[in-house]
């Protein structure tokens, strides 16, 4: 009974974690493609539609959420409301700040393309920082397995000939 009570929540938590990882990995690519579409002259709605189609194979969950945002826009919601809902569905702080960026750019009358370009550069920098952080934490994570698994074997290989010579008396 305990397994039947705990297993579904563990399964759902693992699925949520996998989706969040997919969203976090795909969001910088989403931003880069959005910048390219905005530079080519597409409107924001058309850019979201195009980017959603392009990311379908690589990030299906992110693509589904982008498609839902497009459907909300078609149904009559404003762009900022649809992007806020997208940020809430994705569960990423980057997506929420993206919707705030678009809203402020529209309210202040600044170029959305320039704002997207700066934000995309920031997203690439964050992705690189996360990769560097993982790389720097690797030696600390490998220290214990090396001490437990590799060093005892190394000591046996180095000291076994000495022990054999001492035992047989040929030192």
């Amino acid at each position: 009974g305990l397994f039947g009570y705990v297993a579904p929540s563990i399964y759902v938590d693992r699925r949520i974690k996998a989706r969040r990882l997919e969203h976090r990995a795909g969001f910088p690519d989403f931003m880069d493609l959005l910048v390219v579409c905005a530079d080519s002259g597409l409107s924001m709605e058309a850019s979201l539609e195009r980017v959603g189609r392009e990311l379908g194979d690589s990030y299906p969950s992110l693509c589904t959420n982008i498609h839902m945002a497009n459907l909300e826009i078609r149904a009559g919601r404003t762009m900022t409301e649809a992007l806020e809902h997208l940020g809430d569905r994705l569960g990423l702080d980057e997506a929420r700040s993206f919707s705030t960026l678009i809203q402020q750019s529209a309210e202040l009358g600044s170029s959305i393309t320039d704002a997207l370009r700066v934000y995309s550069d920031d997203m690439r920098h964050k992705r690189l920082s996360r990769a560097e952080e993982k790389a720097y934490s690797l030696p600390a994570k490998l220290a214990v397995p090396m001490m437990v698994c590799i060093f005892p074997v190394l000591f046996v290989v180095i000291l076994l000939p000495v022990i054999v010579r001492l035992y047989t008396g040929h030192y």
Side-chain angles (χ1 to χ4, degrees), residues 100-112:
T100 304
L101 171 85
I102 296 300
Q103 178 184 4
Q104 289 175 352
S105 293
E107 287 176 0
L108 298 174
S110 65
S111 172
I112 292 178

Side-chain angles (χ1 to χ4, degrees), residues 77-109:
R77 290 225 167 129
T78 64
M79 173 67 73
T80 57
E81 288 177 348
L83 290 177
E84 285 176 5
H85 291 152
L86 175 68
D88 292 339
R89 279 193 307 270
L90 294 181
L92 296 176
D93 291 333
E94 294 91 354
R96 289 184 188 100
S97 59
F98 167 68
S99 67
T100 304
L101 171 85
I102 296 300
Q103 178 184 4
Q104 289 175 352
S105 293
E107 287 176 0
L108 298 174

Side-chain angles (χ1 to χ4, degrees), residues 22-157:
E22 177 185 335
H23 296 159
R24 188 171 307 280
F27 201 74
D29 294 337
F30 164 73
M31 289 301 302
D32 289 336
L33 287 174
L34 203 60
V35 168
V36 169
C37 288
D39 281 341
S40 67
L42 290 176
S43 68
M44 193 64 179
E45 294 86 5
S47 297
L48 284 173
E49 181 72 31
R50 177 68 183 200
V51 170
R53 277 187 280 134
E54 292 294 325
L55 291 177
D57 295 334
S58 303
Y59 308 104
S61 176
L62 182 62
C63 174
T64 303
N65 284 306
I66 294 169
H67 183 66
M68 287 174 62
N70 282 328
L71 291 177
E72 286 180 4
I73 293 169
R74 287 183 196 162
R77 290 225 167 129
T78 64
M79 173 67 73
T80 57
E81 288 177 348
L83 290 177
E84 285 176 5
H85 291 152
L86 175 68
D88 292 339
R89 279 193 307 270
L90 294 181
L92 296 176
D93 291 333
E94 294 91 354
R96 289 184 188 100
S97 59
F98 167 68
S99 67
T100 304
L101 171 85
I102 296 300
Q103 178 184 4
Q104 289 175 352
S105 293
E107 287 176 0
L108 298 174
S110 65
S111 172
I112 292 178
T113 306
D114 293 337
L116 285 175
R117 187 174 295 112
V118 169
Y119 193 69
S120 176
D121 290 340
D122 185 46
M123 291 298 302
R124 263 188 259 115
H125 179 69
K126 284 183 181 180
R127 177 191 276 182
L128 182 63
S129 297
R130 280 195 301 267
E132 287 176 351
E133 182 180 324
K134 284 183 180 181
Y136 289 141
S137 69
L138 188 62
K141 290 178 182 178
L142 286 177
V144 173
M146 281 183 55
M147 289 189 319
V148 171
C149 299
I150 296 174
F151 287 146
V153 173
L154 189 63
F155 287 138
V156 169
V157 169

